[in-house]
Amino acid sequence: MADRPVRGTPGWLRETNDRTALALLLEHGVLTRTRIGELSGLSKPTAAQMVSRLETAGLIHVVGEVSAGRGPNAAGYAVRTDRMLGVAVDIDAVSLRSTVVDAAGDEHPIAVTPLALPPEAARTPEADLRLAIEAACAAADVDAERVRAVCVGVQGALDPRTDELTYIETLPGWPKRGIRRRLEDALGIAVHIDNDVNLAAVAERREGAGVDAGGFALLWMGDGLGLAVDQAGAVHRGASGGAGEIGYLPIPRSATRLDPDAADLQDLIGGPAVAGLAAARGLTDDLHGPEAATEALVSELAQRVAFGVVPVLALLDPELVVLGGPTGAAFGPRLAELVAGELRADWGERAVVATGVPTHPVLRGAREHLLGEVREALFDEVSRIAG
């Protein structure tokens, strides 16, 4: 970050005004010089100077004309969203999904890239992320050289104290130690690594079921299980970054009636268990089939999921429980309704709802993180030109 001008100096005043103009353009989109002046409360000459400085620095550009009523049309300005870019990545053992993130928060295509599995090809974290960046930028038709940061959702946990990854069975070729530093040195950009369920919770808070909640717990049900806890907008990651590995929790004795062979919650409600229940009822891999068979599956699954929700209620007592991941999204409100019913006798009326972000929640959470980083990088440019 550039050295900031001293408060009260002409340089500080220019920087403050320019940051204001940039923030207004990010918030409102295309604006004229006059409108920037009106929204900022600054005079027309001052607004014109701000626009001129930002345009000269390449941070904004003219994108057309805006009707000015009786007078001639005025030039409309917008932020140069290609100046600083990020790439959001969701990676697992067999594929990665990636998308470009710009300062305006515009939607870009999602690229899905299959990953070669050993022994056919050696995997490295650098190669994986380069593939993700190149694929995302090609899909969005932007220059990969503009990428300044990447946010990666992984099926594992990163200890922020030691830069050590744990639970990385789905990341062949990724080292346990020094992963973030290694990636930043190799790629030359900022790298943020987070658990995929934590990022899904960020998306849930921003645009899903958690928007109006004081706090919530997201129970993620996919191939694996995970739990993310949102506390008034902050995700609880734990001292070592490993909070929420609920799949390893042993099941109570009373749950053995549902599956005598299940030892932990992963065995009870993980992806393989759900697939087995579906196959036993003649449902397809995508859980399609006769309505009666689907309802029977949801009913039995709700009994199982309730055993996963009980420890969450007992330990955290969240305002809201969100059922997410592929399983939560597939069965939606009906599963949430039946789980709440299973809990009612012992726990009273508990708020259990389906995810509000059924598609690409990990990417959308990573996107939300990067949006702040990309915007801050633009504001740093303002500081540089004002210095």
Side-chain angles (χ1 to χ4, degrees):
M1 183 173 177
D3 292 336
R4 301 286 294 274
V6 178
R7 184 180 180 89
T9 63
W12 174 84
L13 187 60
R14 286 194 301 271
E15 178 184 344
T16 301
N17 290 342
D18 292 354
R19 280 175 167 255
T20 298
L22 194 62
L24 289 171
L25 287 164
L26 286 171
E27 179 182 359
H28 296 280
V30 179
L31 295 173
T32 65
R33 295 186 183 193
T34 299
R35 187 58 179 150
I36 291 173
E38 292 171 349
L39 291 171
S40 64
L42 298 171
S43 67
K44 288 183 178 181
T46 300
Q49 292 171 1
M50 292 189 301
V51 169
S52 178
R53 284 194 297 270
L54 292 173
E55 186 178 17
T56 299
L59 296 178
I60 67 174
H61 61 154
V62 176
V63 293
E65 294 185 339
V66 178
S67 174
R70 295 181 179 179
N73 291 344
Y77 293 88
V79 175
R80 282 279 305 273
T81 56
D82 62 342
R83 180 71 179 262
M84 306 282 183
L85 298 173
V87 171
V89 182
D90 176 15
I91 185 170
D92 57 31
V94 297
S95 65
L96 54 82
R97 293 150 293 281
S98 56
T99 188
V100 166
V101 181
D102 63 38
D106 293 334
E107 297 283 347
H108 292 282
I110 293 173
V112 180
T113 308
L115 291 169
L117 299 177
E120 287 82 3
R123 287 268 301 277
T124 67
E126 298 94 328
D128 285 352
L129 289 198
R130 286 193 180 101
L131 275 175
I133 293 169
E134 291 168 2
C137 291
D141 193 24
V142 298
D143 185 358
E145 294 297 319
R146 299 283 187 178
V147 175
R148 297 291 184 268
V150 62
C151 180
V152 190
V154 299
Q155 295 177 359
L158 179 70
D159 190 331
R161 305 166 303 180
T162 62
D163 195 18
E164 181 176 0
L165 273 174
T166 53
Y167 312 111
I168 56 171
E169 294 82 1
T170 60
L171 296 172
W174 285 52
K176 284 190 173 183
R177 297 184 180 276
I179 181 61
R180 187 178 62 82
R181 178 179 298 178
R182 170 174 164 172
L183 284 169
E184 289 187 337
D185 288 345
L187 302 176
I189 59 177
V191 176
H192 177 77
I193 302 172
D194 204 348
N195 174 262
D196 54 355
V197 185
N198 287 342
L199 289 175
V202 171
E204 208 71 59
R205 161 65 67 180
R206 177 67 178 84
E207 56 184 287
V211 169
D212 297 321
F216 63 90
L218 170 64
L219 178 61
W220 177 275
M221 296 174 289
D223 287 339
L225 299 181
L227 181 75
V229 180
D230 174 287
Q231 299 172 314
V235 176
H236 175 70
R237 292 176 169 82
S240 66
E245 294 295 337
I246 197 171
Y248 296 99
L249 194 66
I251 62 173
R253 186 177 303 170
S254 56
T256 58
R257 63 180 173 81
L258 297 172
D259 187 345
D261 297 324
D264 53 30
L265 283 178
Q266 172 65 27
D267 294 336
L268 196 65
I269 56 176
V274 175
L277 292 173
R281 287 168 173 76
L283 300 178
T284 61
D285 290 342
D286 56 3
L287 304 177
H288 288 166
E291 183 176 345
T294 301
E295 180 63 20
L297 171 60
V298 178
S299 180
E300 181 173 351
L301 187 58
Q303 298 177 56
R304 293 174 175 236
V305 172
F307 281 105
V309 174
V310 164
V312 177
L313 299 179
L315 293 174
L316 302 172
D317 190 25
E319 173 185 332
L320 180 70
V321 175
V322 181
L323 304 182
T327 301
F331 296 111
R334 181 56 177 160
L335 176 61
E337 176 189 4
L338 292 177
V339 170
E342 292 289 333
L343 298 168
R344 190 170 294 119
D346 295 323
W347 295 89
E349 294 294 337
R350 307 299 304 213
V352 182
V353 300
T355 176
V357 191
T359 58
H360 299 296
V362 179
L363 280 183
R364 300 198 73 80
R367 178 178 175 273
E368 188 66 22
H369 171 84
L370 284 171
L371 188 58
E373 282 206 17
V374 171
R375 289 183 173 181
E376 188 55 39
L378 281 176
F379 285 122
D380 285 346
E381 283 290 289
V382 173
S383 300
R384 184 184 62 80
I385 65 175

